[in-house]
Amino acid sequence: MEKLTFDITGMTCAACSARVEKAAKSIDGVTGVSVNLLKNSMTCEVQEKEQSEELIRAIEKAGYGASLKGENKPQKVNMPKENDVVKGMIRRFIASLIFLLPLFYISMGRMLGLPQPAFLTGTENAVAYAFTQLLLCLPVIYINRNYFINGFKALFRGAPNMDTLIATGSAAAFIYGIFAIYRIGYGLGHGDTALVDKYAMDLYFEGSAMILTLITLGKTLEARSKKKTTDAIAQLIDLAPKTATLIRGDERITIPAEEIKVGDILAVKAGESVAADGEIIKGSGSLNESAITGESIPVEKTVGDKVICATVNTGGYFEMQVQKTGEDTTLSQIIRLVEEASATKAPIARLADKISGIFVPVVMTIAVVTFIIWMLCGQNFEFALSRGIAVLVISCPCALGLATPVAVMVGTGTAAKNGILIKSAGALEVAGKIDIVAFDKTGTVTKGEPSVTDIVVYGKSQAELIGISAGLENGSDHPLSRAVMEKAEALRIKPEAAENYEIVIGKGISAEIKNTRYFLGNEKLMQENNIPTDKAEKDIKALSDTGKTVLILSDRETVLGLIAVADTIKESSKEAISRLHSMGIRTLMLTGDNEQTAAAIATAAGIDEIESSLMPEDKSGIISNLMAKGERVAMVGDGINDAPALTTATVGIAVGAGTDIAIDCADIVLMSSELTSVSDAVSLSKRVMRNIKQNLFWAFIYNAIGIPIAAGVLFPIFGIALNPMIAAAAMSLSSFCVVSNSLRLRLWKPKGFYKTKINNETKTAEKGEEKMTTVIKIEGMMCGHCKAMVEKVLNAIDGVSATADLENKQAVVEHPESVSVETLKQVIIDAGYEVL
């Protein structure tokens, strides 16, 4: 079997991607078909590559364009770039609005008694009145002609989609308007003024134009909400150095990276990037592998150790023999994994698109049956036609089309205001259904940079120990050195003046301070200089067992003290994990670090499971295995090494302090580095999806009730016949209800900002006050707006942190003793609620 990737053009909705998938699966021997609507691509497995031509013909027969990736782009359908699509839709909406507004004024002005031009008023000017509306409607139809072209094409192919619904409803209103003009002409010609007046009020050109304009607005909002940057692959490629230093005999030649061959010997100086995968054959260096593994502390490498393309030699010099080049390097494998994960991630299918295949033919059938039944019942042609047209107009999918994009736009806007950037509607939907959240360690659960955690002294004072250590590390850019210097600065300890430095790569450093030589490094450095470490062994083991890096300080004779350095967890990590657990979500940590360090961090944060010593492809593989078991997995990361896992996961979440590539590959970006936003994103997802379901429920219930009334079921009993004008107004009302319901999402607030809580506790600590917790029962708190108001007035008090519980009608308030309960009660009462 051979795996092929195709570029597909012409897809506009989930029904289209399903149609392409169905066409591809119809070919014998084709398996594993996956269509990606967002990337306009399709991957599949074929028995022979020659089947690609047969696949292309099948897809083109279905009405779409196709070509093998990397070959000439398909010519059948010309698809503009995503930015151009959004800009074009905005222009279409504005242009449509320019014609719709005067059209509405003219059509509704007569009913509302608004001033009209003389040539449009009176029975004698009925044709001019109708013809003016026709002329204003035609440009709107032309501007939005793609709905008709794509909608009717889909209908004729037997696969109606959202465009079919739009085109059917708009065309029905427009055709009825044309029919009304003919009836007006007939009435004027025969002196039947009653007939003229009747049909002058039955012109529905504004309904036709409004349908198109509102749907264009909805589609514009949808396109803007899902728009995302897709240049992650280019940034990954840019990581690899463009040149390398080739050793040929006694010569050193700078060559382009693409000319490197397996077996070549390359020289890598301090500050240079490794140009290929290979093995060190001479010298040593300190390799920053954060681009690949995500780990912040450089790894010491010497003869026999493997080095990876795109890693940086931060200190030392070595020569390496190339073992992998080009597409075989670790970096290239990461790039390939990102591409494959992006190509196979299916977009979230719209419920409306799924239903439209049944909804459209059913509505059209009902309209035809309605017309026939009324004709058989003895009604005149005009009455029967009005009922059929009313059915089509009232079933116009404006509410259906706006249900998802408006809720998505309001939801993503609300999220952005609270520090959560959601890039697509698909991510918004699946985030609320997550079973497992997988975390990268470095920079995600932890701070991403080492800091001093423990200081052990033997004889000397802590200040002396730090002063000497800072003197040795002064001027070094090594992360461990920076940790020591930051600790000295925090304790306001001045580094001792040192001289005669000697750096031992992979072991540590030594220097003279006041005529005494001191050593600072690992146990290897002590052994090399015959310095006994017996008295410190117990402490070294205890610190190492918790995953910390231990720096030993000694003179020529004895150990003077220990400095433990570790990448500590963020203050918000434990709270974030606790919140996820309370929502029934399991947690997993994936890291390139060793098992000992990983276990220590996971225990401190409260994470359920760990997988350690992983390469990027391992993280992606673990997530794939979980998803194969039916688990919905969210991946939270910040590094380049997380890119494959972020794209493979059900939903990828990047922290804002992460690399651009991680952010590009993710579906959700946390603007801050606080992990509490992960649970907030899940909570908001649930709220938005509930809102969308409410919108869709209203849209379909509206049709379920409106269509029978439009068909005339009430006419035999009550004499009520819904004309198309009222049907169009009902359609507009349904859209208004959907938009209004979506706007309620603006009241959503995250479950307390963790930073605010820390700041309040800090202020209280500075004042020397203890905090109290008070539960206040509140009467009159009925909705999300009430909850937000109660939290707002309470949190406005200095030092107070409050969370309102709508279900239990109460607020849990943390406050300093200086803020009395009576003060808390009074602000709630002032806000219009009753305290029980």
Side-chain angles (χ1 to χ4, degrees):
M1 300 293 286
E2 186 170 353
K3 193 171 186 177
L4 299 179
T5 301
F6 293 84
D7 291 320
I8 308 295
T9 58
M11 296 189 297
T12 60
C13 68
C16 296
S17 59
R19 183 70 176 171
V20 171
E21 185 173 334
K22 183 179 179 181
K25 287 180 176 179
S26 67
I27 306 298
D28 291 337
V30 176
T31 59
V33 179
S34 177
V35 180
N36 190 314
L37 178 61
L38 296 179
K39 289 179 66 67
N40 289 312
S41 66
M42 179 188 76
T43 58
C44 63
E45 292 184 354
V46 297
Q47 293 179 345
E48 299 177 354
K49 190 174 181 179
E50 287 69 25
Q51 286 184 290
S52 62
E53 291 298 324
E54 189 178 359
L55 269 167
I56 291 171
R57 286 194 297 271
I59 293 169
E60 289 182 346
K61 186 178 179 181
Y64 306 92
S67 70
L68 274 173
K69 189 173 181 64
E71 295 185 357
N72 293 331
K73 301 296 180 186
Q75 301 297 317
K76 185 176 181 65
V77 183
N78 182 25
M79 290 292 290
K81 294 181 179 179
E82 188 175 5
N83 282 338
D84 295 336
V85 169
V86 175
K87 290 178 181 177
M89 292 180 75
I90 293 173
R91 286 195 297 267
R92 277 169 47 195
F93 170 69
I94 293 173
S96 299
L97 200 61
I98 289 171
F99 291 98
L100 177 65
L101 292 177
L103 174 57
F104 244 79
Y105 181 84
I106 293 170
S107 62
M108 297 299 182
R110 189 170 183 177
M111 295 174 61
L112 301 175
L114 298 176
Q116 299 270 343
F119 71 91
L120 297 180
T121 60
T123 304
E124 67 278 8
N125 292 318
V127 171
Y129 174 74
F131 197 66
T132 301
Q133 292 186 48
L134 172 64
L135 292 178
L136 288 170
C137 181
L138 285 174
V140 179
I141 290 177
Y142 179 77
I143 291 166
N144 298 282
R145 61 192 178 279
N146 282 342
Y147 293 132
F148 296 92
I149 295 171
N150 298 331
F152 288 122
K153 272 187 179 178
L155 181 62
F156 296 147
R157 289 197 304 264
N161 56 18
M162 282 296 295
D163 286 351
T164 308
L165 291 171
I166 298 161
T168 304
S170 180
F174 183 80
I175 291 170
Y176 187 84
I178 296 293
F179 171 77
I181 290 178
Y182 277 98
R183 296 301 293 164
I184 290 170
Y186 178 87
L188 288 173
H190 292 76
D192 190 346
T193 57
L195 184 65
V196 173
D197 290 337
K198 175 188 174 184
Y199 280 100
M201 297 298 292
D202 280 353
L203 293 168
Y204 310 117
F205 294 118
E206 80 286 346
S208 177
M210 181 178 64
I211 290 166
L212 299 173
T213 305
L214 286 177
I215 293 297
T216 297
L217 172 61
K219 284 185 172 283
T220 301
L221 295 174
E222 185 176 17
R224 291 185 65 181
S225 68
K226 75 176 185 179
K227 182 181 170 187
K228 60 191 280 190
T229 305
T230 55
D231 59 355
I233 302 300
Q235 293 187 42
L236 281 171
I237 294 171
D238 287 342
L239 283 174
K242 303 298 183 287
T243 60
T245 302
L246 175 67
I247 300 176
R248 188 174 291 164
D250 295 331
E251 288 187 279
R252 293 171 186 268
I253 307 168
T254 300
I255 62 171
E258 56 267 22
E259 293 182 10
I260 299 173
K261 299 176 182 177
V262 175
D264 283 348
I265 307 299
L266 304 179
V268 183
K269 301 175 185 176
E272 292 182 346
S273 295
V274 179
D277 289 3
E279 182 178 311
I280 295 177
I281 59 174
K282 180 181 178 181
S284 60
S286 182
L287 275 294
N288 183 343
E289 297 183 334
S290 59
I292 303 299
T293 66
E295 304 310 318
S296 56
I297 299 177
V299 180
E300 307 300 336
K301 302 268 187 174
T302 187
V303 176
D305 290 334
K306 303 289 185 182
V307 290
I308 303 171
C309 178
T311 57
V312 181
N313 181 19
T314 60
Y317 167 85
F318 63 86
E319 296 175 5
M320 59 172 284
Q321 185 174 39
V322 176
Q323 295 177 333
K324 294 180 180 178
T325 64
E327 297 297 321
D328 297 325
T329 64
T330 302
L331 179 64
S332 294
Q333 290 174 19
I334 293 175
I335 294 170
R336 178 175 53 79
L337 284 170
V338 173
E339 287 180 325
E340 288 183 356
S342 297
T344 56
K345 181 187 265 187
I348 301 301
R350 299 288 188 271
L351 179 60
D353 278 316
K354 291 180 178 179
I355 296 174
S356 65
I358 301 172
F359 184 72
V360 175
V362 167
V363 168
M364 295 179 73
T365 302
I366 292 172
V368 172
V369 170
T370 297
F371 173 79
I372 294 172
I373 288 176
W374 284 116
M375 288 296 290
L376 293 175
C377 289
Q379 290 291 340
N380 59 45
F381 176 82
E382 295 160 7
F383 180 89
L385 182 61
S386 293
R387 300 293 70 73
I389 295 294
V391 168
L392 290 173
V393 172
I394 205 167
S395 66
C396 173
C398 284
L400 196 58
L402 290 171
T404 300
V406 174
V408 168
M409 179 59 76
V410 176
T412 52
T414 301
K417 289 179 182 177
N418 291 286
I420 305 167
L421 177 62
I422 302 174
K423 293 185 176 181
S424 68
L428 191 61
E429 179 171 343
V430 297
K433 303 175 182 177
I434 292 302
D435 301 309
I436 300 175
V437 175
F439 293 93
D440 170 51
K441 178 181 78 67
T442 305
T444 304
V445 177
T446 67
K447 294 178 181 177
E449 54 186 32
S451 58
V452 174
T453 59
D454 302 88
I455 299 173
V456 182
V457 295
Y458 305 110
K460 288 185 177 293
S461 69
Q462 178 175 295
E464 289 177 306
L465 182 76
I466 293 297
I468 294 170
S469 300
L472 293 173
E473 299 286 18
N474 198 10
S476 173
D477 287 331
H478 195 285
L480 297 180
S481 302
R482 289 198 297 272
V484 173
M485 296 305 296
E486 287 172 4
K487 187 64 175 179
E489 184 178 350
L491 297 175
R492 298 182 179 177
I493 298 173
K494 184 179 179 181
E496 297 285 353
E499 58 184 3
N500 299 324
Y501 286 92
E502 183 181 342
I503 298 173
V504 185
I505 294 176
K507 298 175 183 177
I509 190 171
S510 70
E512 290 183 4
I513 297 175
K514 297 177 181 179
N515 298 320
T516 300
R517 180 158 286 276
Y518 292 96
F519 301 86
L520 182 65
N522 56 26
E523 289 185 274
K524 290 181 181 179
L525 182 66
M526 301 298 116
Q527 293 167 5
E528 191 175 275
N529 291 276
N530 299 315
I531 301 167
T533 59
D534 298 346
K535 65 179 180 181
E537 285 298 336
K538 185 177 179 180
D539 291 327
I540 292 172
K541 185 177 186 305
L543 293 169
S544 298
D545 285 347
T546 59
K548 298 173 182 177
T549 301
V550 181
L551 300 177
I552 307 170
L553 176 68
S554 75
D555 54 21
R556 288 190 180 277
E557 298 178 357
T558 185
V559 173
L560 303 175
L562 308 176
I563 298 176
V565 179
D567 185 7
T568 56
I569 69 169
K570 297 174 183 175
E571 292 174 309
S572 63
S573 294
K574 190 171 183 178
E575 171 72 10
I577 303 303
S578 175
R579 287 188 189 180
L580 291 172
H581 287 163
S582 69
M583 300 169 78
I585 297 173
R586 307 200 307 279
T587 53
L588 166 68
M589 188 168 75
L590 306 176
T591 177
D593 217 332
N594 61 71
E595 184 177 359
Q596 199 174 48
T597 301
I601 296 295
T603 301
I607 293 173
D608 298 324
E609 305 170 44
I610 60 168
E611 293 285 350
S612 57
S613 303
L614 302 175
M615 292 296 284
E617 56 268 30
D618 299 328
K619 293 183 181 182
S620 179
I622 290 170
I623 289 175
S624 295
N625 290 338
L626 287 170
M627 292 172 67
K629 295 175 183 177
E631 304 278 11
R632 290 179 287 257
V633 185
M635 173 67 194
V636 185
D638 73 324
I640 293 169
N641 62 300
D642 300 319
L646 286 169
T647 50
T648 300
T650 311
V651 58
I653 304 174
V655 296
T659 62
D660 289 342
I661 292 168
I663 291 171
D664 285 345
C665 290
D667 303 297
I668 298 174
V669 178
L670 311 181
M671 298 301 204
S672 74
S673 296
E674 305 300 338
L675 290 186
T676 45
S677 294
V678 175
S679 59
D680 290 335
V682 174
S683 172
L684 178 61
S685 167
K686 293 177 181 291
R687 180 75 66 87
V688 172
M689 289 315 300
R690 184 162 63 247
N691 188 278
I692 289 174
K693 289 175 182 177
Q694 289 169 353
N695 289 346
L696 291 172
F697 175 79
W698 163 252
F700 285 111
I701 285 296
Y702 151 80
N703 279 288
I705 296 173
I707 289 175
I709 294 174
V713 295
L714 300 179
F715 185 77
I717 303 172
F718 302 103
I720 298 173
L722 192 67
N723 66 38
M725 186 62 212
I726 297 175
M731 176 270 294
S732 300
L733 181 61
S734 70
S735 300
F736 175 77
C737 291
V738 164
V739 173
S740 299
N741 186 51
S742 298
L743 290 175
R744 292 191 305 114
L745 291 170
R746 296 167 66 183
L747 301 175
W748 178 87
K749 292 291 182 184
K751 188 182 177 182
F753 287 101
Y754 192 84
K755 284 188 174 180
T756 301
K757 181 179 176 183
I758 293 173
N759 290 338
N760 287 338
E761 290 173 352
T762 302
K763 289 177 184 177
T764 304
E766 288 173 352
K767 294 177 182 177
E769 298 179 55
E770 292 184 2
K771 298 199 81 172
M772 304 170 59
T773 300
T774 301
V775 179
I776 303 174
K777 291 289 185 179
I778 302 169
E779 182 67 25
M781 191 167 60
M782 306 297 293
C783 65
H785 176 73
C786 299
K787 176 180 180 293
M789 178 59 71
V790 170
E791 289 179 342
K792 181 179 179 180
V793 297
L794 288 171
N795 287 322
I797 303 173
D798 189 27
V800 172
S801 177
T803 302
D805 185 340
L806 189 60
E807 184 176 349
N808 295 315
K809 307 295 183 186
Q810 67 183 26
V812 180
V813 188
E814 288 186 4
H815 60 100
E817 290 179 334
S818 60
V819 179
S820 68
V821 175
E822 289 302 317
T823 300
L824 300 175
K825 291 166 63 177
Q826 190 58 49
V827 296
I828 295 173
I829 293 170
D830 291 343
Y833 302 94
E834 182 182 349
V835 176
L836 301 179

